[in-house]
Amino acid sequence: MSDLRDLYQELILDHGKSPRNLRNMEAPSNEADGYNPVCGDKVHLYLLLDNGVIKDACFEGSGCAISTASASMLTQAIVGKTPGEIRHLRKEVAEMLTSEPGNSKDFSSLGKLAAFSGVCEFPNRVKCATLAWHTLDSALGDDQEIVSTE
Ligand code: ZN
């Protein structure tokens, strides 16, 4: 288990240092700003939703390694998904981040995003990890009429 933790920590540090999809988008279909006053993390998320699927996602912003890594991995995780699939993913991530520390629930279905499973042990960092996801919520909620049966 500690090897897995090391791997997870490496992933977060790697994405925090060299974030993927850190750029702007000229004509996004959806975008939103997020701010975490507790830590000072800022993120601006750009989405390109085309034919009901996320074709491109990127972000700009500045913040701690956890918030940057979270936005970086989020943009990688949502490309190719529908808003309905993203809501499902988002729910699982929220459950992971707010679960009891030391729980034995398996979050490996979340792939790389499972790297954040250790964050629930640090309540003051949870907001850093959830910032990008809250921003995603508001980006998807903006002037987009998405019908969901969930
Ligand atoms: Zn932070």
Side-chain angles (χ1 to χ4, degrees):
M1 194 64 197
S2 72
D3 286 352
L4 191 61
R5 286 181 79 114
D6 287 351
L7 180 76
Y8 282 169
Q9 199 161 10
E10 254 172 56
L11 254 176
I12 291 178
L13 287 176
D14 176 40
H15 279 258
K17 258 190 252 170
S18 342
R20 319 305 198 265
N21 303 312
L22 180 64
R23 55 185 158 85
N24 66 11
M25 191 187 289
E26 247 171 54
S29 60
N30 305 57
E31 59 186 312
D33 270 314
Y35 177 52
N36 169 22
V38 177
C39 181
D41 308 313
K42 285 178 189 160
V43 63
H44 188 95
L45 190 66
Y46 302 94
L47 306 176
L48 185 63
L49 188 61
D50 184 27
N51 268 327
V53 174
I54 299 288
K55 286 275 160 65
D56 192 18
C58 57
F59 75 103
E60 291 181 299
S62 59
C64 66
I66 291 179
S67 70
T68 304
S70 175
S72 171
M73 284 194 230
L74 175 149
T75 56
Q76 286 193 319
I78 64 172
V79 170
K81 290 192 165 64
T82 67
E85 288 168 335
I86 290 169
R87 286 200 182 90
H88 181 72
L89 180 68
R90 193 232 177 294
K91 232 184 271 173
E92 284 188 280
V93 170
E95 192 195 333
M96 173 179 76
L97 289 172
T98 56
S99 59
E100 287 294 312
N103 75 84
S104 54
K105 195 165 184 316
D106 181 12
F107 292 106
S108 55
S109 64
L110 288 171
K112 278 185 186 175
L113 295 170
F116 292 95
S117 57
V119 174
C120 64
E121 290 174 43
F122 307 95
N124 55 339
R125 307 315 298 273
V126 168
K127 282 186 175 160
C128 302
T130 54
L131 174 64
W133 294 93
H134 286 304
T135 310
L136 177 64
D137 278 351
S138 59
L140 288 174
D142 269 354
D143 53 48
Q144 285 285 330
E145 285 278 302
I146 299 158
V147 181
S148 172
T149 51
E150 282 177 61

